[in-house]
C-alpha cells in the first residue's frame, strides 16, 4: 500500500493544458456554431419515451458540477506512468465528440419549470449553468465519457494507495453519469452514446499503447488532434464570425481549406504509424518528395500547411538564435569530419568554414524544410543524400538493417573521395535531435569511438542537444 500522493509537476500542468485546451476550443466552437444553425434553420432533438418519465431532481446539479474539478484534479492525482494514457483518452473522446457535435448538432428539448427541491431553491445554480453552457452538444455526453475514462484511469492509482480510496471515485463517477439525465442536461441516448464512445476510446488507446512506442503514439495522436481541430476551426469560425451560415463560393473555399488540411495532417499521422516498421522508406520519399533538396510541386500542394507551420517555426528559431548552425565538427579520421546542424539560411553557405573542405557529403534528414545546398556556391563539391526522417522519432531494433545500409552507402561515398578532406553534414530542421542522432550512428559505424564515448562527445560538442532519448544504445553497439 502506498501513501496518498499528489503530483504538481510540469508534466501535470502540460497535460492539463493540452487536454483542457482542446476541450475548451472544440466544445465552445461547436456550441456557438450549433446556436447559429438553430437560430437560422432550427435543430432537431432525440427525446425518447423513457426521457419523458425521468424526474427532474434539482440537487443533482451538485454531482453534475463535480465533473470540472474531477477533470482538473485527475492530472495531479494519477501516477506518472498513467498520465499520458489519461491525457490521450480525454483528447480522443473530445475529438470524436467534437466531430459528432459539428456534423449532427442537436438541441435539448425538455423544459425545467421548478428549481425548488429538497427544501432549497436551486435556481441560482442553474442560472450559472445556463450562462456557461447552452442546450447543444448533446450526443454523446462528454460528462459521461469523461467520468468513465477518468474513473478507469484513476482506479489503478487509488487502488495502490488503498482499496477504500476507489469507492469514492466509483461513487462520484456514477453520480456524475446519472446526474446528466436528472438535471435535464442530457437524454438517455446521450448517456448511452457517451458510454460507447468511452469504451471505444479506451480500446483504441490500449491498442496504440501496445502497438507503438510512447514517442510514436504521442505523434500519431498529435497529428490526429491537429487534423480534427483544423477541420472544426475552419468550418465553424467563419460561421461564428458572420453569425450566419456560409453559402455559395465562400462555402466551397472553406470546405476545400478545411478538408485539405484535415487530409494533410491525417497523412502525417499515418506516416508516424508507418514508421514502426520502415524508416526511411519509399512512402516517406513519395509523400515528402524532394528534387535536389527542394520539394516537388505535388508535395508542396499536399503538405502546404505543414510546411508553412514549420517554416514559420524555423524563422522564429533563426531570429531568436535558437537554430543550431555551424559548430566545431567532430573528427572521424584523418581525412574526414562530421557536423550536425539545422537548416541553414542561404547566407551561411558562403561561410569560410566550408572552404577548408574539398568535398562535402550532405545528409538531408528533414521532411519539413527544403535544403539549399545544391542551389548554393557549394553545389560543385557537395554530394547530396536525402534520408527522410520524421521529427521526434527514433530508430528501433527493427531498423538496424536499414540503418546499416544507410551507413554503408555514406561510408562508400566517403571512400570514393579518396584522400580529399571531407565534411559529412547531418541536417534536420533545427539541429538538435535527428541530425545529432544520425551523427551518433555514423560515428559508431565509421569512427573509433565506443558507445559511451559517443554520448560524451555529443554532450561536449552539442550541450543543448535533445537527442539522447532517441539514440538506442543497442544500435550504437551493433553498428561498431
Amino acid at each position: 500500500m502506498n501513501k496518498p500522493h499528489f503530483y504538481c509537476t510540469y508534466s501535470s500542468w502540460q497535460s492539463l493544458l493540452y487536454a483542457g485546451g482542446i476541450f475548451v476550443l472544440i466544445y465552445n466552437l461547436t456550441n456557438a456554431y450549433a446556436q447559429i444553425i438553430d437560430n437560422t434553420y432550427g435543430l432537431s432533438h432525440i427525446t425518447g419515451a423513457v426521457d419523458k418519465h425521468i424526474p427532474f431532481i434539482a440537487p443533482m446539479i451538485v454531482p453534475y458540477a463535480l465533473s470540472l474539478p474531477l477533470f482538473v484534479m485527475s492530472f495531479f492525482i494519477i501516477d506518472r506512468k498513467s498520465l499520458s494514457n489519461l491525457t490521450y483518452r480525454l483528447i480522443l473522446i473530445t475529438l470524436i465528440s467534437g466531430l459528432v457535435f459539428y456534423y449532427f448538432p442537436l438541441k435539448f428539448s425538455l423544459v425545467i419549470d421548478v428549481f425548488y427541491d429538497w427544501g432549497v431553491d436551486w435556481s441560482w445554480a442553474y442560472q450559472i449553468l445556463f450562462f456557461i453552457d447552452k442546450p447543444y452538444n448533446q450526443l454523446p455526453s462528454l460528462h459521461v465519457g469523461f467520468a468513465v475514462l477518468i474513473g478507469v484511469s484513476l482506479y489503478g492509482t487509488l487502488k495502490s494507495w488503498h482499496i477504500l480510496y476507489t469507492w469514492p471515485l466509483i461513487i462520484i463517477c456514477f453520480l456524475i453519469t446519472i446526474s446528466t439525465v436528472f438535471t435535464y442536461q442530457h437524454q438517455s441516448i446521450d448517456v448511452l452514446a457517451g458510454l460507447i464512445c468511452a469504451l471505444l476510446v479506451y480500446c483504441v488507446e490500449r491498442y496504440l499503447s501496445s502497438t507503438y512506442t510512447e514517442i510514436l503514439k504521442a505523434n500519431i495522436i498529435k497529428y490526429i488532434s491537429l487534423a480534427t481541430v483544423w477541420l472544426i476551426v475552419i468550418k465553424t469560425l467563419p460561421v461564428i464570425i458572420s453569425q450566419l451560415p456560409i453559402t455559395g463560393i465562400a462555402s466551397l473555399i472553406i470546405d476545400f481549406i478545411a478538408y485539405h488540411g484535415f487530409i494533410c495532417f491525417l497523412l502525417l499521422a499515418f506516416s508516424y504509424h508507418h514508421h514502426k516498421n520502415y524508416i526511411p522508406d519509399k512512402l516517406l520519399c513519395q509523400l515528402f518528395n524532394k528534387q535536389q533538396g527542394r520539394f516537388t510541386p505535388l508535395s508542396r500542394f499536399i503538405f502546404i500547411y505543414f510546411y508553412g507551420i514549420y517554416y514559420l517555426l524555423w524563422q522564429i528559431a533563426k531570429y531568436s538564435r535558437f537554430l543550431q548552425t555551424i559548430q566545431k565538427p567532430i573528427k572521424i579520421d584523418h581525412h574526414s569530419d562530421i557536423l550536425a546542424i539545422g537548416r541553414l539560411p542561404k547566407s551561411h553557405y558562403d561561410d569560410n568554414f566550408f572552404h577548408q573542405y574539398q568535398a562535402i557529403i550532405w545528409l538531408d534528414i528533414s521532411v519539413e524544410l527544403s535544403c539549399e545546398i545544391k542551389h548554393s556556391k557549394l553545389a560543385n563539391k557537395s554530394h547530396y543524400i536525402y534520408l527522410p526522417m520524421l521529427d521526434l522519432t527514433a530508430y528501433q531494433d527493427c531498423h538496424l538493417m536499414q540503418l546499416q545500409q544507410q551507413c554503408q552507402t555514406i561510408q562508400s561515398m566517403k571512400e570514393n573521395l579518396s584522400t580529399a578532406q571531407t565534411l559529412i553534414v547531418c541536417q534536420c530542421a533545427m539541429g538538435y535531435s535527428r541530425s545529432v542522432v544520425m551523427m551518433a550512428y555514423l560515428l559508431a559505424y565509421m569512427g573509433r569511438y565506443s558507445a559511451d564515448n559517443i554520448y560524451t562527445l555529443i554532450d561536449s560538442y552539442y550541450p543543448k542537444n535533445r537527442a539522447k532519448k532517441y539514440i538506442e544504445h543497442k544500435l550504437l553497439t551493433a553498428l561498431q
Side-chain angles (χ1 to χ4, degrees), residues 370-381:
S370 61
C371 174
E372 297 297 316
I373 184 66
K374 298 305 289 184
H375 307 275
S376 69
K377 294 180 179 179
L378 302 174
N380 292 333
K381 63 176 181 180

Side-chain angles (χ1 to χ4, degrees), residues 145-323:
F146 284 165
V148 172
L149 292 174
I150 291 173
V152 170
S153 302
L154 287 182
Y155 185 85
T157 298
L158 298 187
K159 188 178 180 181
S160 69
W161 296 356
H162 195 284
I163 189 65
L164 293 178
Y165 285 104
T166 61
W167 285 106
L169 174 69
I170 294 170
I171 292 170
I172 290 171
C173 292
F174 175 73
L175 288 175
I176 290 173
T177 299
I178 64 172
S179 72
T180 58
V181 291
F182 289 124
T183 55
Y184 282 10
Q185 296 306 298
H186 285 282
Q187 284 120 341
S188 55
I189 188 68
D190 306 335
V191 174
L192 178 61
L195 292 171
I196 293 172
C197 272
L199 177 62
L200 174 64
V201 165
Y202 178 79
C203 294
V204 169
E205 190 279 324
R206 295 313 304 149
Y207 167 77
L208 292 174
S209 295
S210 62
T211 307
Y212 304 95
T213 64
E214 190 64 25
I215 294 171
L216 286 181
K217 183 176 79 167
N219 280 292
I220 289 171
I221 294 177
K222 177 178 73 175
Y223 282 108
I224 290 175
S225 302
L226 194 52
T228 308
V229 169
W230 176 277
L231 176 65
I232 291 175
V233 169
I234 299 300
K235 293 282 281 182
T236 61
L237 202 56
V239 175
I240 295 170
I241 293 172
S242 66
Q243 289 293 300
L244 288 170
I246 307 298
T247 58
I249 296 177
S251 176
L252 294 176
I253 294 172
I254 290 171
D255 285 347
F256 175 80
I257 295 172
Y259 291 113
H260 184 195
F262 183 71
I263 293 170
C264 163
F265 295 119
L266 280 187
L267 279 174
L268 285 160
F270 177 74
S271 299
Y272 278 96
H273 148 75
H274 197 71
H275 171 92
K276 71 186 179 76
N277 295 321
Y278 306 101
I279 172 172
D281 68 344
K282 292 181 180 178
L283 175 69
L284 291 183
C285 289
Q286 290 170 353
L287 287 177
F288 309 98
N289 194 11
K290 290 183 180 180
Q291 292 179 350
Q292 296 295 303
R294 291 179 175 174
F295 293 108
T296 60
L298 179 59
S299 182
R300 285 182 182 274
F301 172 75
I302 296 173
F303 295 106
I304 184 170
Y305 309 113
F306 175 63
Y307 294 150
I309 291 170
Y310 257 91
Y311 184 74
L312 178 62
L313 293 174
W314 179 79
Q315 289 286 357
I316 293 171
K318 182 177 70 171
Y319 287 109
S320 63
R321 298 189 178 181
F322 175 78
L323 186 67

Side-chain angles (χ1 to χ4, degrees), residues 13 66 72 234 368:
W13 287 104
L66 287 177
V72 175
I234 299 300
E368 306 88 8

Side-chain angles (χ1 to χ4, degrees), residues 76-90:
F76 302 96
I77 296 174
I78 197 164
D79 63 85
R80 299 306 84 190
K81 292 182 180 178
S82 305
L83 177 61
S84 64
N85 295 338
L86 169 67
T87 306
Y88 297 143
R89 289 167 187 172
L90 297 181

